[in-house]
Amino acid sequence: MTTSSPADVVHAINALRADGDFDAALRHIAPRSLDQGVECDREQWRRKWEAIVAGVPDFAVTVLQSVESGEWVSNRYRITGTHTGEFFGRPPTGQRFDVTGMDMVRVVSGQLVEHWVVAEPF
């Protein structure tokens, strides 16, 4: 894997995940990483993304701003979608949402190794 800036790696993951190409997106994530402080593997990332799509088929993330420092990038997002299925334990509401969120991602050798996120509830 070639070395990319942390912002480039996050952009690639988001674009490939949005296109439904989970295999390609997962190549930008280390075989073992931290997500919200919990160690996980690529299959756990895949299951998380599949759950998102099952609950919010039109889930979209737009990066509004990124700030990089060394291995880290912090992103401010706009997150939109329609809650039509179970979403992280919440029953469907049928409602559209438009919220903001922020994350911090650490990238080593072109792969995400750590991810932290905070988003508004919907």
Side-chain angles (χ1 to χ4, degrees):
M1 174 116 345
T2 60
T3 302
S4 300
S5 78
D8 289 344
V9 170
V10 169
H11 175 77
I13 292 169
N14 283 335
L16 292 163
R17 183 201 44 77
D19 287 344
D21 192 347
F22 294 169
D23 290 334
L26 289 167
R27 287 193 286 273
H28 294 281
I29 297 178
R32 303 296 299 169
S33 61
L34 290 176
D35 186 22
Q36 298 292 92
V38 176
E39 189 173 325
C40 60
D41 60 25
R42 288 175 173 156
E43 281 309 305
Q44 289 166 302
W45 281 96
R46 176 187 299 280
R47 286 192 299 273
K48 177 174 138 176
W49 295 339
E50 289 170 346
I52 289 170
V53 171
V56 184
D58 59 347
F59 186 85
V61 174
T62 304
V63 176
L64 303 172
Q65 186 176 21
S66 295
V67 178
E68 288 183 283
S69 179
E71 295 178 333
W72 288 91
V73 61
S74 180
N75 302 286
R76 185 171 58 90
Y77 293 107
R78 176 177 184 216
I79 307 163
T80 60
T82 309
H83 185 198
T84 59
E86 184 176 313
F87 189 69
F88 295 106
R90 295 179 57 199
T93 65
Q95 300 295 310
R96 286 230 8 108
F97 63 89
D98 186 336
V99 299
T100 58
M102 295 184 78
D103 73 2
M104 289 185 66
V105 174
R106 185 165 65 99
V107 172
V108 175
S109 299
Q111 293 186 315
L112 180 152
V113 296
E114 191 169 349
H115 175 252
W116 297 89
V117 64
V118 176
E120 291 180 287
F122 66 91

